[in-house]
DNA sequence: CCGAATGTCTCGATGACCGAGAGGTTAGGG
DNA sequence: CCCTAACCTCTCGGTCATCGAGACATTCGG
């Protein structure tokens, strides 16, 4: 690894920086989860539900399972946990009464917005020191890296 | 979120791109874990052991626990699993015989290098389309973002 | 109206994790 | 040389997240 870092123009270093950043972002997730009595999966679930709600396409139990990669049995247990903790409500869909749509509670929506929204604002603020050209480079880079990662099997 | 995206020069979009990328990188970890009979934690452990070994400071059981945030009991179980699967060996430290240092097996080292090294090569290759200035912008940005994330409590 | 498809939940089993504490090892002071 | 405190790892018992299989309710097409 180190020995490769000679004539690559620092490209390997960027890969390592990226890994470091993802590790730290992971840690942030845990710092959010702990005080709220949530586990890893629960945070992913909450984020998925909030994202879907914001998109105006509320998640169903099944959709949540697909989103976070859980079996139906696990989704039931997961939603039980989140509901018991007051983070989501189960609501029977009016048009298809087999389905259960998940709604975030006001309080949890606010808590999530405060935590992650706060982080996002800090990140955006830290971008003030960058020119539009800088940020455009970053955007293209992030897009390229994501494509590689998605394609990697 | 969307409504903030008007006059920020795409900064929020970058934050979302970053999140997308971390999610995909997470998925890569799982694609590595599954076929090798490993769990989430196991992969983190293997990476920690490989990193430490490369640094020339082999991890002990206790060090591994600190690195991945597990109790000593869990570390024992974790190392049991990895050892049973043939990924690591327990070796009593010669100078301090209380300690157990962990060594990756040749085979697993090779498998890890093939998988993650391969991904790294693809990432580096995808950076060919970027100028040195581009990459310098990216480097500064990654560094700045990491600082924000680390500082966020 | 009936059967197949669909969405969610229940049950029992498995495995990862933790807290408490046992057991062996080292270092330092009488 | 021994005793004790500190240290590192492992064992034990319990808790919780997850899964596979299948039950139950609902919808949809013929």
């Amino acid at each position: 690894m180190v020995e490769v870092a000679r004539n690559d123009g620092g490209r390997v270093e960027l890969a390592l920086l990226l890994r470091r950043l993802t590790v730290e972002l992971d840690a942030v997730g845990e710092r959010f989860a702990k005080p709220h009595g949530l586990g890893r999966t629960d945070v992913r679930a909450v984020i998925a539900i909030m994202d879907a709600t914001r998109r105006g396409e509320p998640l169903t139990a099944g959709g949540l399972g697909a989103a976070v990669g859980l079996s139906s049995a696990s989704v039931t247990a997961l939603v039980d946990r989140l509901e018991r903790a007051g983070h989501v409500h189960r609501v029977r869909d009016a048009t298809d009464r087999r389905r259960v749509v998940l709604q975030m509670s006001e309080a949890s929506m606010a808590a999530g917005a405060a935590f992650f929204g706060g982080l996002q604002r800090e990140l955006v603020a830290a971008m003030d020191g960058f020119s539009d050209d800088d940020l455009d480079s970053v955007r293209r880079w992030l897009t390229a890296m994501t494509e590689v990662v998605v394609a990697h099997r």
Side-chain angles (χ1 to χ4, degrees), chain A:
Chain A
M1 224 124 211
V2 171
E3 68 278 7
V4 193
R6 288 282 148 62
N7 276 320
D8 62 359
R11 288 171 170 77
V12 169
E13 184 201 349
L14 288 190
L16 294 179
L17 274 175
L18 176 58
R19 177 147 79 88
R20 168 87 202 285
L21 180 49
T22 65
V23 167
E24 295 299 341
L25 279 171
D26 233 49
V28 167
E30 272 174 37
R31 283 202 292 276
F32 175 75
K34 261 291 194 53
H36 290 261
L38 299 174
R40 266 204 79 69
T41 305
D42 307 56
V43 174
R44 287 179 63 189
V46 166
I47 291 177
I49 297 172
M50 283 176 46
D51 280 0
T53 302
R54 234 189 328 253
R55 266 199 312 275
E57 306 164 355
L59 267 191
T60 64
L64 176 59
V68 299
L70 287 182
S71 69
S72 74
S74 306
V75 171
T76 299
L78 167 61
V79 176
D80 282 350
R81 239 175 311 164
L82 293 179
E83 192 169 37
R84 208 178 313 122
H87 295 299
V88 305
H89 302 298
R90 279 180 163 96
V91 181
R92 280 280 166 196
D93 188 326
T95 67
D96 183 343
R97 302 215 330 261
R98 288 169 304 182
R99 305 205 297 173
V100 170
V101 308
L102 304 172
Q103 291 183 334
M104 295 295 300
S105 70
E106 303 290 335
S108 298
M109 204 75 177
F115 191 90
F116 291 108
L119 176 58
Q120 180 178 290
R121 268 189 300 280
E122 291 176 36
L123 289 175
V124 169
M127 294 184 213
D128 271 352
F130 293 81
S131 70
D132 286 351
D133 279 356
D134 285 336
L135 295 180
D136 194 61
S137 300
V138 172
R139 178 181 3 270
R140 288 189 296 113
W141 187 83
L142 285 174
T143 305
M145 294 306 107
T146 302
E147 274 170 19
V148 169
V149 170
V150 169
H152 183 78
R153 328 250 130 177

